[in-house]
Amino acid sequence: MKKKNITIYDIAKEANVSPTTVSRVLTNNPLVKESTRKLVLEKMKEMDFTPNEAARSLTKKQTNMIGFILPDITNPFFSQTYIEVERRAHELGYTVLLRNSMNRSEMESTHLREFVQRRVECIVFMGGRINKVDSDPNEVEEMLEVMERVPLIMVNGQMEGVECHRICTNEEDGIRKIVSHLIEQGHKHLSLIGGAEGISTTDVKVKAFQEEIEKKGLEFRDEWQIYSGYDIENGRHAMRELLQKDPRPTAIIGINDMVIYGALKECREQNVPIDNFSFVGFDDIFPSDIVYPSLTTINHNYEMLSTEIVHSVQNIIERKPVEKEILIDTRLVIRESSLVKK
Amino acid sequence: MKKKNITIYDIAKEANVSPTTVSRVLTNNPLVKESTRKLVLEKMKEMDFTPNEAARSLTKKQTNMIGFILPDITNPFFSQTYIEVERRAHELGYTVLLRNSMNRSEMESTHLREFVQRRVECIVFMGGRINKVDSDPNEVEEMLEVMERVPLIMVNGQMEGVECHRICTNEEDGIRKIVSHLIEQGHKHLSLIGGAEGISTTDVKVKAFQEEIEKKGLEFRDEWQIYSGYDIENGRHAMRELLQKDPRPTAIIGINDMVIYGALKECREQNVPIDNFSFVGFDDIFPSDIVYPSLTTINHNYEMLSTEIVHSVQNIIERKPVEKEILIDTRLVIRESSLVKK
DNA sequence: TTGTACGCGTTATCAA
DNA sequence: TTGATAACGCGTACAA
């Protein structure tokens, strides 16, 4: 089953040329006579030759690989971003190395180390440490060390003391769009659930939420803003808490779509009519179109997000000028969950 | 920002030893005096040295990479499988190269070529061409060529004329479990929607469905078995068709969970009470626990699936004996959608 | 316990 | 248009 590794030397011998010439046809060097090129190509086909990328990387000092760290690919928000990045990177000849961190710092470290070792040409970082408002000095130092060797792009995050390229969803504006929409629907009592204090994506949203509410002359109630985490179960807990309040809010915004799924589930289990509330999520992951009621939410513009990521990656690698910070605008997708019923 | 690439030679010079010795500490060779090892490690830290994996791969003739081709990582079925594989592979020191094929043959070819070029040590293949009942001769030939150089494992698929390791979900048994469950619930009129004729995973299910129905003394109605594809929209179409039948079935099985999401959606749009039917899916992807009604479905046992995949990968790479075909049993997860109401 | 010399498969430099 | 020859950075047989 295993063949001997055949190399350009083998091809050279068969074609009666030097290895150099074989290498030339491999790199599409135009300084090769057409007839010899044809001959060499023929022999390569015959012998089923494939150049060894490791050897190539070694001499060319470039691997055509980029590393992508994200918390959890089973979360549609990340997979929807990743797949677009993979596609576009592929078009430009790059191989993406995907690694899940599960938001665990040691995993992130491991992945970073591996990326450096494999000499990826750029690292894209989402989630985890880059969303901590108070960054860990050790993590900062590690990032800086990595960045001395590999350029790094942070997506929807940042670290104090780590200056690098950033591409971010305009989350403030997303929240404003949600608040405006709910007020238009006649709501006066808005709640925000999910997330965690000290995590930048949460803090940004909470701040924007509070500001926008007060700007519109509504009342911000502390007890209607519940930090409860990011997943479905966390959403259930928040909703459970909310249902015990008196008075209750009439509209509920989720830090992401997932927590709203949980909130809906909790209402059902407690036999609380869904219609009692308007719900709005954030991310527009695919299940939001199929849950019941379908979920009003903020779409990240995944296409533009991924386009900008790969675009930046490319320019950074090619040492072209790149904007240090790129903001991606969002879009409010109105579905059933936020429309006034009865 | 860019440092000169520092190598074992630089370390050697700094530590007053030979490059060989540096290499030895890198590979944890015990034949190094403890004091020199310490010295070398120190210098490595000081100079922020990281071995170049490409150079390593070149001499060791092993890359520690495995390739993973699947149709679409945004489909939770695949991401739930992939993430487990990544985790386990990582524990064994392997890097997984993930590539999405979107079920397109040319993409698969591109990815296969790249994998060979990068000298991955094993390829895991899901979806696409390996699910065609009538395999394309060109695709078969390509697979065989690849397999002369890299071992390959097919997950939930096979190709006539391509003998290789296979790890499969026991889909027949899954379908039988569903049918039994529905009959226990008192159903006599079962329908199966989704999938496509000539795709092995579909054909296997359809066949098992028909056989099991007849074995139980029920009637298999051709018009209640609708090939309509694999995604949400396809599920809607099938349901639309089903709603026009007279008589209608009372229980609806989906080729996967996605099509049932579509079916539920279609019922709502047409104001047909969900309660008129029992629904059962296949795959147990995560939204099935949060859609309403929550979906009864077949769980793939992702843990065992991924364990077996990585286990096979490892044994194949290490040339240990491996079972040619491994069957993974499923589990019926009963939720609201299939329980008799009223 | 350590070092020398060579090989891994390619690309790049220079000369022919 | 082609061919020697030297890198690229590391591992390993062999010698010391």
Side-chain angles (χ1 to χ4, degrees):
Chain A
M1 166 167 152
K2 279 281 175 174
K3 278 186 185 171
K4 165 187 177 295
N5 280 315
I6 84 137
T7 75
I8 53 171
Y9 284 87
D10 302 314
I11 304 293
K13 203 170 295 172
E14 285 295 311
N16 284 315
V17 295
S18 76
T20 310
T21 300
V22 177
S23 172
R24 285 203 181 92
V25 342
L26 227 44
T27 52
N28 289 315
N29 187 318
L31 305 176
V32 183
K33 209 199 323 179
E34 199 45 39
S35 62
T36 59
R37 176 190 304 281
K38 260 189 66 177
L39 177 63
V40 169
L41 284 173
E42 211 169 274
K43 293 298 176 189
M44 298 205 302
K45 193 134 268 171
E46 259 177 43
M47 305 182 67
D48 194 21
F49 167 79
T50 314
N52 184 321
E53 200 55 38
R56 267 185 152 156
S57 299
L58 198 54
T59 54
K60 305 219 318 178
K61 290 167 173 304
Q62 66 176 60
T63 57
N64 295 318
M65 296 197 290
I66 76 185
F68 197 146
I69 295 179
L70 48 75
D72 181 0
I73 192 71
T74 67
N75 180 324
F77 169 53
F78 296 112
S79 63
Q80 289 173 210
T81 306
Y82 167 80
I83 197 168
E84 291 291 318
V85 169
E86 186 197 285
R87 191 168 62 77
R88 290 184 158 69
H90 187 235
E91 289 169 0
L92 300 178
Y94 291 105
T95 294
V96 182
L97 251 46
L98 167 68
R99 311 303 310 245
N100 291 271
S101 72
M102 307 319 283
N103 280 319
R104 285 171 44 200
S105 181
E106 333 85 67
M107 296 243 75
E108 292 170 345
S109 299
T110 308
H111 298 334
L112 286 173
R113 229 173 299 128
E114 189 198 317
F115 285 167
V116 172
Q117 195 150 333
R118 291 212 181 262
R119 303 291 192 266
V120 301
E121 302 184 43
C122 189
I123 294 175
V124 182
F125 205 120
M126 290 185 84
R129 64 177 65 174
I130 70 168
N131 289 321
K132 292 186 196 165
V133 170
D134 298 315
S135 42
D136 179 326
N138 293 322
E139 292 174 353
V140 168
E141 194 189 354
E142 185 181 34
M143 295 299 265
L144 292 175
E145 271 176 26
V146 167
M147 286 170 54
E148 275 179 35
R149 313 173 113 267
V150 190
L152 189 144
I153 299 176
M154 295 186 182
V155 179
N156 285 351
Q158 72 179 102
M159 283 181 97
E160 192 132 6
V162 183
E163 208 180 318
C164 70
H165 298 273
R166 307 202 308 124
I167 298 172
C168 297
T169 301
N170 192 339
E171 298 180 293
E172 295 90 330
D173 187 59
I175 289 292
R176 278 186 229 117
K177 283 175 176 154
I178 294 174
V179 171
S180 296
H181 168 67
L182 288 172
I183 291 177
E184 273 171 30
Q185 297 286 309
H187 289 282
K188 294 190 162 42
H189 307 296
L190 311 192
S191 158
L192 175 62
I193 64 173
E197 202 166 6
I199 301 299
S200 57
T201 51
T202 297
D203 287 0
V204 162
K205 284 172 183 162
V206 170
K207 181 152 168 281
F209 173 67
Q210 182 164 358
E211 284 176 0
E212 189 66 10
I213 278 191
E214 288 169 353
K215 201 173 104 193
K216 301 275 184 169
L218 301 185
E219 170 195 22
F220 173 81
R221 284 212 180 206
D222 219 42
E223 57 172 347
W224 289 346
Q225 190 264 300
I226 302 175
Y227 296 113
S228 67
Y230 297 90
D231 65 24
I232 295 168
E233 207 50 40
N234 300 146
R236 294 188 58 174
H237 287 136
M239 192 69 214
R240 198 171 306 153
E241 217 174 297
L242 227 42
L243 288 174
Q244 290 165 353
K245 307 284 184 196
D246 185 15
R248 290 176 181 171
T250 61
I252 297 165
I253 303 171
I255 207 77
N256 62 20
D257 290 350
M258 289 285 203
V259 297
I260 298 295
Y261 302 158
L264 293 174
K265 193 163 187 185
E266 185 63 22
C267 287
R268 292 218 174 80
E269 300 234 332
Q270 296 202 23
N271 284 313
V272 174
I274 299 283
D275 280 5
N276 287 8
F277 306 96
S278 276
F279 293 93
V280 182
F282 204 113
D283 286 349
D284 195 19
I285 58 180
F286 84 89
S288 292
D289 191 37
I290 55 165
V291 292
Y292 181 76
S294 60
L295 188 59
T296 295
T297 183
I298 289 288
N299 182 289
H300 275 272
N301 203 339
Y302 293 95
E303 241 175 90
M304 185 161 317
L305 187 59
S306 61
T307 303
E308 291 296 345
I309 292 174
V310 175
H311 190 243
S312 289
V313 167
Q314 186 182 24
N315 285 333
I316 291 172
I317 291 178
E318 298 176 358
R319 289 146 203 286
K320 293 183 186 153
V322 190
E323 278 183 81
K324 266 288 175 189
E325 185 165 343
I326 296 172
L327 215 54
I328 310 285
D329 274 329
T330 61
R331 185 167 50 88
L332 179 69
V333 180
I334 300 176
R335 298 204 183 89
E336 301 164 344
S337 68
S338 67
L339 300 181
V340 181
K341 301 119 190 182
K342 289 186 230 169
Chain B
M1 168 165 150
K2 278 284 177 172
K3 278 185 185 173
K4 164 185 178 300
N5 280 316
I6 84 137
T7 74
I8 53 171
Y9 286 88
D10 302 314
I11 304 294
K13 205 170 294 174
E14 285 296 309
N16 283 318
V17 295
S18 77
T20 311
T21 301
V22 178
S23 172
R24 285 201 182 94
V25 341
L26 226 43
T27 52
N28 289 315
N29 188 319
L31 305 176
V32 183
K33 212 202 317 183
E34 199 46 39
S35 60
T36 58
R37 175 190 307 281
K38 260 188 65 177
L39 176 62
V40 169
L41 284 173
E42 212 169 273
K43 293 298 175 190
M44 297 204 303
K45 192 135 270 167
E46 259 178 44
M47 306 183 67
D48 193 21
F49 166 80
T50 314
N52 183 320
E53 200 55 38
R56 266 185 152 160
S57 299
L58 201 55
T59 53
K60 304 221 316 181
K61 288 166 172 305
Q62 65 176 59
T63 57
N64 295 317
M65 296 197 289
I66 77 184
F68 198 147
I69 295 179
L70 48 75
D72 181 0
I73 193 71
T74 66
N75 180 324
F77 169 52
F78 296 112
S79 64
Q80 287 173 213
T81 305
Y82 167 80
I83 197 167
E84 291 290 320
V85 169
E86 185 195 285
R87 191 168 61 77
R88 290 183 155 72
H90 187 236
E91 288 170 1
L92 300 178
Y94 292 104
T95 294
V96 183
L97 250 44
L98 168 67
R99 311 305 310 247
N100 291 271
S101 71
M102 308 317 282
N103 281 319
R104 285 172 43 201
S105 182
E106 333 83 66
M107 296 242 75
E108 292 170 345
S109 298
T110 309
H111 298 334
L112 286 172
R113 230 174 297 128
E114 189 199 317
F115 285 167
V116 171
Q117 195 150 332
R118 292 213 180 262
R119 303 293 192 265
V120 301
E121 302 185 42
C122 189
I123 295 175
V124 182
F125 206 120
M126 290 185 86
R129 63 177 65 174
I130 70 169
N131 288 322
K132 292 187 198 166
V133 170
D134 298 314
S135 42
D136 179 326
N138 294 320
E139 292 174 355
V140 168
E141 195 190 353
E142 184 181 37
M143 296 298 265
L144 292 174
E145 270 175 27
V146 168
M147 288 171 54
E148 276 179 35
R149 312 173 114 266
V150 191
L152 189 144
I153 299 176
M154 295 185 183
V155 179
N156 286 352
Q158 72 178 103
M159 282 180 98
E160 191 131 7
V162 182
E163 210 178 318
C164 71
H165 299 273
R166 307 202 308 123
I167 298 173
C168 296
T169 301
N170 192 340
E171 299 181 292
E172 294 90 328
D173 188 59
I175 289 293
R176 278 186 228 116
K177 283 174 175 153
I178 294 174
V179 171
S180 295
H181 168 66
L182 288 172
I183 290 177
E184 273 171 29
Q185 296 286 310
H187 289 284
K188 293 189 164 46
H189 306 295
L190 312 192
S191 158
L192 176 60
I193 64 173
E197 201 167 4
I199 301 299
S200 58
T201 51
T202 297
D203 286 0
V204 161
K205 285 171 182 162
V206 170
K207 182 152 169 283
F209 173 66
Q210 181 165 0
E211 283 176 359
E212 190 66 8
I213 279 193
E214 288 169 353
K215 202 173 104 191
K216 300 275 186 171
L218 300 184
E219 171 195 20
F220 172 80
R221 282 212 184 206
D222 220 42
E223 57 170 347
W224 288 346
Q225 190 265 299
I226 302 176
Y227 295 115
S228 66
Y230 296 90
D231 66 24
I232 295 169
E233 207 50 40
N234 300 146
R236 294 188 59 175
H237 287 138
M239 193 68 212
R240 198 170 307 154
E241 218 174 296
L242 228 41
L243 288 174
Q244 290 166 353
K245 307 282 184 194
D246 184 18
R248 291 176 181 170
T250 62
I252 297 165
I253 304 171
I255 208 77
N256 62 21
D257 289 351
M258 289 285 201
V259 296
I260 298 296
Y261 301 159
L264 292 173
K265 191 158 190 191
E266 185 63 23
C267 287
R268 291 220 173 79
E269 300 236 332
Q270 296 203 22
N271 284 313
V272 174
I274 300 283
D275 279 7
N276 287 6
F277 306 95
S278 276
F279 292 93
V280 182
F282 204 113
D283 285 349
D284 196 18
I285 58 179
F286 85 88
S288 292
D289 192 36
I290 56 166
V291 292
Y292 180 74
S294 61
L295 189 60
T296 294
T297 182
I298 289 289
N299 182 289
H300 275 272
N301 203 338
Y302 293 96
E303 240 175 273
M304 183 160 316
L305 187 58
S306 62
T307 303
E308 291 296 345
I309 291 174
V310 176
H311 190 244
S312 289
V313 166
Q314 186 182 25
N315 285 332
I316 290 172
I317 291 178
E318 297 176 359
R319 287 148 204 286
K320 292 183 187 155
V322 190
E323 278 183 81
K324 265 291 174 187
E325 185 167 343
I326 295 172
L327 215 53
I328 311 286
D329 275 329
T330 62
R331 185 166 51 87
L332 179 70
V333 180
I334 299 176
R335 299 204 183 89
E336 301 164 344
S337 68
S338 67
L339 300 181
V340 180
K341 302 119 189 182
K342 292 186 228 174

PDB file of all heavy atoms in Angstrom, chain A residues 38-59:
ATOM      1  N   LYS A  38       6.466  19.823 -20.904  1.00  0.00           N
ATOM      2  CA  LYS A  38       5.477  18.784 -21.176  1.00  0.00           C
ATOM      3  C   LYS A  38       5.989  17.413 -20.750  1.00  0.00           C
ATOM      4  O   LYS A  38       5.284  16.631 -20.114  1.00  0.00           O
ATOM      5  CB  LYS A  38       5.113  18.768 -22.667  1.00  0.00           C
ATOM      6  CG  LYS A  38       3.798  19.482 -22.973  1.00  0.00           C
ATOM      7  CD  LYS A  38       3.364  19.273 -24.409  1.00  0.00           C
ATOM      8  CE  LYS A  38       3.017  17.823 -24.719  1.00  0.00           C
ATOM      9  NZ  LYS A  38       2.536  17.658 -26.120  1.00  0.00           N
ATOM     10  N   LEU A  39       7.229  17.157 -21.113  1.00  0.00           N
ATOM     11  CA  LEU A  39       7.819  15.872 -20.764  1.00  0.00           C
ATOM     12  C   LEU A  39       7.811  15.655 -19.251  1.00  0.00           C
ATOM     13  O   LEU A  39       7.387  14.609 -18.744  1.00  0.00           O
ATOM     14  CB  LEU A  39       9.265  15.815 -21.287  1.00  0.00           C
ATOM     15  CG  LEU A  39      10.036  14.542 -20.916  1.00  0.00           C
ATOM     16  CD1 LEU A  39       9.370  13.326 -21.541  1.00  0.00           C
ATOM     17  CD2 LEU A  39      11.491  14.652 -21.325  1.00  0.00           C
ATOM     18  N   VAL A  40       8.254  16.662 -18.546  1.00  0.00           N
ATOM     19  CA  VAL A  40       8.320  16.550 -17.086  1.00  0.00           C
ATOM     20  C   VAL A  40       6.930  16.333 -16.490  1.00  0.00           C
ATOM     21  O   VAL A  40       6.728  15.456 -15.643  1.00  0.00           O
ATOM     22  CB  VAL A  40       8.965  17.811 -16.482  1.00  0.00           C
ATOM     23  CG1 VAL A  40       8.785  17.831 -14.974  1.00  0.00           C
ATOM     24  CG2 VAL A  40      10.436  17.870 -16.840  1.00  0.00           C
ATOM     25  N   LEU A  41       5.996  17.129 -16.945  1.00  0.00           N
ATOM     26  CA  LEU A  41       4.631  16.991 -16.438  1.00  0.00           C
ATOM     27  C   LEU A  41       4.113  15.571 -16.679  1.00  0.00           C
ATOM     28  O   LEU A  41       3.449  14.980 -15.824  1.00  0.00           O
ATOM     29  CB  LEU A  41       3.706  18.008 -17.113  1.00  0.00           C
ATOM     30  CG  LEU A  41       3.858  19.438 -16.608  1.00  0.00           C
ATOM     31  CD1 LEU A  41       3.036  20.404 -17.458  1.00  0.00           C
ATOM     32  CD2 LEU A  41       3.431  19.540 -15.146  1.00  0.00           C
ATOM     33  N   GLU A  42       4.438  15.067 -17.831  1.00  0.00           N
ATOM     34  CA  GLU A  42       4.014  13.717 -18.170  1.00  0.00           C
ATOM     35  C   GLU A  42       4.576  12.711 -17.169  1.00  0.00           C
ATOM     36  O   GLU A  42       3.854  11.889 -16.620  1.00  0.00           O
ATOM     37  CB  GLU A  42       4.554  13.409 -19.565  1.00  0.00           C
ATOM     38  CG  GLU A  42       3.699  12.478 -20.390  1.00  0.00           C
ATOM     39  CD  GLU A  42       4.205  12.497 -21.824  1.00  0.00           C
ATOM     40  OE1 GLU A  42       3.774  13.378 -22.610  1.00  0.00           O
ATOM     41  OE2 GLU A  42       5.076  11.650 -22.137  1.00  0.00           O
ATOM     42  N   LYS A  43       5.865  12.803 -16.945  1.00  0.00           N
ATOM     43  CA  LYS A  43       6.502  11.879 -16.017  1.00  0.00           C
ATOM     44  C   LYS A  43       5.907  12.013 -14.613  1.00  0.00           C
ATOM     45  O   LYS A  43       5.720  11.034 -13.902  1.00  0.00           O
ATOM     46  CB  LYS A  43       8.017  12.157 -15.950  1.00  0.00           C
ATOM     47  CG  LYS A  43       8.757  11.846 -17.234  1.00  0.00           C
ATOM     48  CD  LYS A  43       8.647  10.366 -17.575  1.00  0.00           C
ATOM     49  CE  LYS A  43       9.310  10.086 -18.929  1.00  0.00           C
ATOM     50  NZ  LYS A  43       9.032   8.711 -19.399  1.00  0.00           N
ATOM     51  N   MET A  44       5.615  13.248 -14.234  1.00  0.00           N
ATOM     52  CA  MET A  44       5.040  13.457 -12.903  1.00  0.00           C
ATOM     53  C   MET A  44       3.704  12.736 -12.796  1.00  0.00           C
ATOM     54  O   MET A  44       3.410  12.093 -11.788  1.00  0.00           O
ATOM     55  CB  MET A  44       4.868  14.952 -12.637  1.00  0.00           C
ATOM     56  CG  MET A  44       6.181  15.720 -12.637  1.00  0.00           C
ATOM     57  SD  MET A  44       6.186  17.257 -11.695  1.00  0.00           S
ATOM     58  CE  MET A  44       4.890  18.162 -12.469  1.00  0.00           C
ATOM     59  N   LYS A  45       2.923  12.867 -13.841  1.00  0.00           N
ATOM     60  CA  LYS A  45       1.631  12.187 -13.841  1.00  0.00           C
ATOM     61  C   LYS A  45       1.852  10.673 -13.768  1.00  0.00           C
ATOM     62  O   LYS A  45       1.270   9.979 -12.937  1.00  0.00           O
ATOM     63  CB  LYS A  45       0.854  12.565 -15.107  1.00  0.00           C
ATOM     64  CG  LYS A  45      -0.604  12.173 -15.057  1.00  0.00           C
ATOM     65  CD  LYS A  45      -1.531  13.302 -15.517  1.00  0.00           C
ATOM     66  CE  LYS A  45      -2.006  14.183 -14.384  1.00  0.00           C
ATOM     67  NZ  LYS A  45      -2.720  15.400 -14.791  1.00  0.00           N
ATOM     68  N   GLU A  46       2.704  10.196 -14.634  1.00  0.00           N
ATOM     69  CA  GLU A  46       2.983   8.761 -14.685  1.00  0.00           C
ATOM     70  C   GLU A  46       3.375   8.196 -13.324  1.00  0.00           C
ATOM     71  O   GLU A  46       2.893   7.164 -12.897  1.00  0.00           O
ATOM     72  CB  GLU A  46       4.169   8.506 -15.629  1.00  0.00           C
ATOM     73  CG  GLU A  46       3.796   8.025 -17.006  1.00  0.00           C
ATOM     74  CD  GLU A  46       5.056   7.876 -17.852  1.00  0.00           C
ATOM     75  OE1 GLU A  46       6.060   7.349 -17.321  1.00  0.00           O
ATOM     76  OE2 GLU A  46       5.029   8.313 -19.015  1.00  0.00           O
ATOM     77  N   MET A  47       4.257   8.913 -12.676  1.00  0.00           N
ATOM     78  CA  MET A  47       4.784   8.395 -11.414  1.00  0.00           C
ATOM     79  C   MET A  47       3.960   8.849 -10.215  1.00  0.00           C
ATOM     80  O   MET A  47       4.313   8.585  -9.073  1.00  0.00           O
ATOM     81  CB  MET A  47       6.233   8.834 -11.247  1.00  0.00           C
ATOM     82  CG  MET A  47       7.088   8.433 -12.439  1.00  0.00           C
ATOM     83  SD  MET A  47       8.810   8.896 -12.222  1.00  0.00           S
ATOM     84  CE  MET A  47       9.303   7.817 -10.868  1.00  0.00           C
ATOM     85  N   ASP A  48       2.877   9.529 -10.485  1.00  0.00           N
ATOM     86  CA  ASP A  48       1.973   9.978  -9.433  1.00  0.00           C
ATOM     87  C   ASP A  48       2.726  10.803  -8.382  1.00  0.00           C
ATOM     88  O   ASP A  48       2.668  10.540  -7.182  1.00  0.00           O
ATOM     89  CB  ASP A  48       1.295   8.773  -8.783  1.00  0.00           C
ATOM     90  CG  ASP A  48       0.116   9.181  -7.934  1.00  0.00           C
ATOM     91  OD1 ASP A  48      -0.398  10.293  -8.160  1.00  0.00           O
ATOM     92  OD2 ASP A  48      -0.275   8.411  -7.050  1.00  0.00           O
ATOM     93  N   PHE A  49       3.429  11.784  -8.895  1.00  0.00           N
ATOM     94  CA  PHE A  49       4.256  12.611  -8.022  1.00  0.00           C
ATOM     95  C   PHE A  49       3.465  13.769  -7.398  1.00  0.00           C
ATOM     96  O   PHE A  49       2.645  14.401  -8.054  1.00  0.00           O
ATOM     97  CB  PHE A  49       5.419  13.180  -8.832  1.00  0.00           C
ATOM     98  CG  PHE A  49       6.150  14.277  -8.132  1.00  0.00           C
ATOM     99  CD1 PHE A  49       7.080  13.994  -7.144  1.00  0.00           C
ATOM    100  CD2 PHE A  49       5.887  15.611  -8.445  1.00  0.00           C
ATOM    101  CE1 PHE A  49       7.747  15.014  -6.489  1.00  0.00           C
ATOM    102  CE2 PHE A  49       6.547  16.634  -7.797  1.00  0.00           C
ATOM    103  CZ  PHE A  49       7.476  16.348  -6.821  1.00  0.00           C
ATOM    104  N   THR A  50       3.679  13.983  -6.146  1.00  0.00           N
ATOM    105  CA  THR A  50       3.108  15.152  -5.458  1.00  0.00           C
ATOM    106  C   THR A  50       4.200  15.804  -4.632  1.00  0.00           C
ATOM    107  O   THR A  50       4.820  15.137  -3.807  1.00  0.00           O
ATOM    108  CB  THR A  50       1.992  14.732  -4.500  1.00  0.00           C
ATOM    109  OG1 THR A  50       1.138  13.814  -5.142  1.00  0.00           O
ATOM    110  CG2 THR A  50       1.197  15.935  -4.051  1.00  0.00           C
ATOM    111  N   PRO A  51       4.436  17.072  -4.851  1.00  0.00           N
ATOM    112  CA  PRO A  51       5.519  17.730  -4.103  1.00  0.00           C
ATOM    113  C   PRO A  51       5.256  17.694  -2.611  1.00  0.00           C
ATOM    114  O   PRO A  51       4.116  17.740  -2.167  1.00  0.00           O
ATOM    115  CB  PRO A  51       5.499  19.163  -4.633  1.00  0.00           C
ATOM    116  CG  PRO A  51       4.139  19.352  -5.218  1.00  0.00           C
ATOM    117  CD  PRO A  51       3.726  18.002  -5.719  1.00  0.00           C
ATOM    118  N   ASN A  52       6.299  17.604  -1.857  1.00  0.00           N
ATOM    119  CA  ASN A  52       6.193  17.557  -0.401  1.00  0.00           C
ATOM    120  C   ASN A  52       6.127  18.976   0.158  1.00  0.00           C
ATOM    121  O   ASN A  52       7.077  19.746   0.070  1.00  0.00           O
ATOM    122  CB  ASN A  52       7.412  16.820   0.160  1.00  0.00           C
ATOM    123  CG  ASN A  52       7.313  16.665   1.657  1.00  0.00           C
ATOM    124  OD1 ASN A  52       6.869  17.579   2.348  1.00  0.00           O
ATOM    125  ND2 ASN A  52       7.718  15.516   2.151  1.00  0.00           N
ATOM    126  N   GLU A  53       4.991  19.269   0.738  1.00  0.00           N
ATOM    127  CA  GLU A  53       4.762  20.639   1.200  1.00  0.00           C
ATOM    128  C   GLU A  53       5.700  21.038   2.335  1.00  0.00           C
ATOM    129  O   GLU A  53       6.070  22.200   2.477  1.00  0.00           O
ATOM    130  CB  GLU A  53       3.303  20.782   1.644  1.00  0.00           C
ATOM    131  CG  GLU A  53       2.781  22.191   1.689  1.00  0.00           C
ATOM    132  CD  GLU A  53       2.930  22.949   0.380  1.00  0.00           C
ATOM    133  OE1 GLU A  53       2.741  22.341  -0.697  1.00  0.00           O
ATOM    134  OE2 GLU A  53       3.243  24.145   0.431  1.00  0.00           O
ATOM    135  N   ALA A  54       6.100  20.075   3.130  1.00  0.00           N
ATOM    136  CA  ALA A  54       6.998  20.387   4.246  1.00  0.00           C
ATOM    137  C   ALA A  54       8.336  20.885   3.716  1.00  0.00           C
ATOM    138  O   ALA A  54       8.884  21.877   4.194  1.00  0.00           O
ATOM    139  CB  ALA A  54       7.193  19.155   5.120  1.00  0.00           C
ATOM    140  N   ALA A  55       8.845  20.195   2.719  1.00  0.00           N
ATOM    141  CA  ALA A  55      10.121  20.599   2.133  1.00  0.00           C
ATOM    142  C   ALA A  55       9.999  21.987   1.519  1.00  0.00           C
ATOM    143  O   ALA A  55      10.869  22.841   1.659  1.00  0.00           O
ATOM    144  CB  ALA A  55      10.546  19.592   1.071  1.00  0.00           C
ATOM    145  N   ARG A  56       8.889  22.184   0.854  1.00  0.00           N
ATOM    146  CA  ARG A  56       8.632  23.493   0.263  1.00  0.00           C
ATOM    147  C   ARG A  56       8.637  24.588   1.316  1.00  0.00           C
ATOM    148  O   ARG A  56       9.270  25.624   1.156  1.00  0.00           O
ATOM    149  CB  ARG A  56       7.262  23.480  -0.397  1.00  0.00           C
ATOM    150  CG  ARG A  56       7.315  23.119  -1.828  1.00  0.00           C
ATOM    151  CD  ARG A  56       5.938  23.263  -2.412  1.00  0.00           C
ATOM    152  NE  ARG A  56       6.036  23.570  -3.813  1.00  0.00           N
ATOM    153  CZ  ARG A  56       5.069  23.309  -4.677  1.00  0.00           C
ATOM    154  NH1 ARG A  56       3.950  22.784  -4.274  1.00  0.00           N
ATOM    155  NH2 ARG A  56       5.238  23.602  -5.934  1.00  0.00           N
ATOM    156  N   SER A  57       7.862  24.332   2.364  1.00  0.00           N
ATOM    157  CA  SER A  57       7.758  25.338   3.430  1.00  0.00           C
ATOM    158  C   SER A  57       9.145  25.681   3.961  1.00  0.00           C
ATOM    159  O   SER A  57       9.430  26.825   4.266  1.00  0.00           O
ATOM    160  CB  SER A  57       6.902  24.808   4.569  1.00  0.00           C
ATOM    161  OG  SER A  57       5.605  24.522   4.117  1.00  0.00           O
ATOM    162  N   LEU A  58       9.944  24.653   4.070  1.00  0.00           N
ATOM    163  CA  LEU A  58      11.255  24.841   4.666  1.00  0.00           C
ATOM    164  C   LEU A  58      12.097  25.837   3.859  1.00  0.00           C
ATOM    165  O   LEU A  58      12.669  26.774   4.408  1.00  0.00           O
ATOM    166  CB  LEU A  58      11.969  23.494   4.737  1.00  0.00           C
ATOM    167  CG  LEU A  58      13.138  23.412   5.697  1.00  0.00           C
ATOM    168  CD1 LEU A  58      12.703  23.841   7.087  1.00  0.00           C
ATOM    169  CD2 LEU A  58      13.686  21.996   5.729  1.00  0.00           C
ATOM    170  N   THR A  59      12.141  25.633   2.585  1.00  0.00           N
ATOM    171  CA  THR A  59      12.969  26.534   1.779  1.00  0.00           C
ATOM    172  C   THR A  59      12.297  27.876   1.551  1.00  0.00           C
ATOM    173  O   THR A  59      12.946  28.909   1.609  1.00  0.00           O
ATOM    174  CB  THR A  59      13.276  25.924   0.403  1.00  0.00           C
ATOM    175  OG1 THR A  59      12.052  25.566  -0.222  1.00  0.00           O
ATOM    176  CG2 THR A  59      14.158  24.717   0.536  1.00  0.00           C
TER     177      THR A  59
END
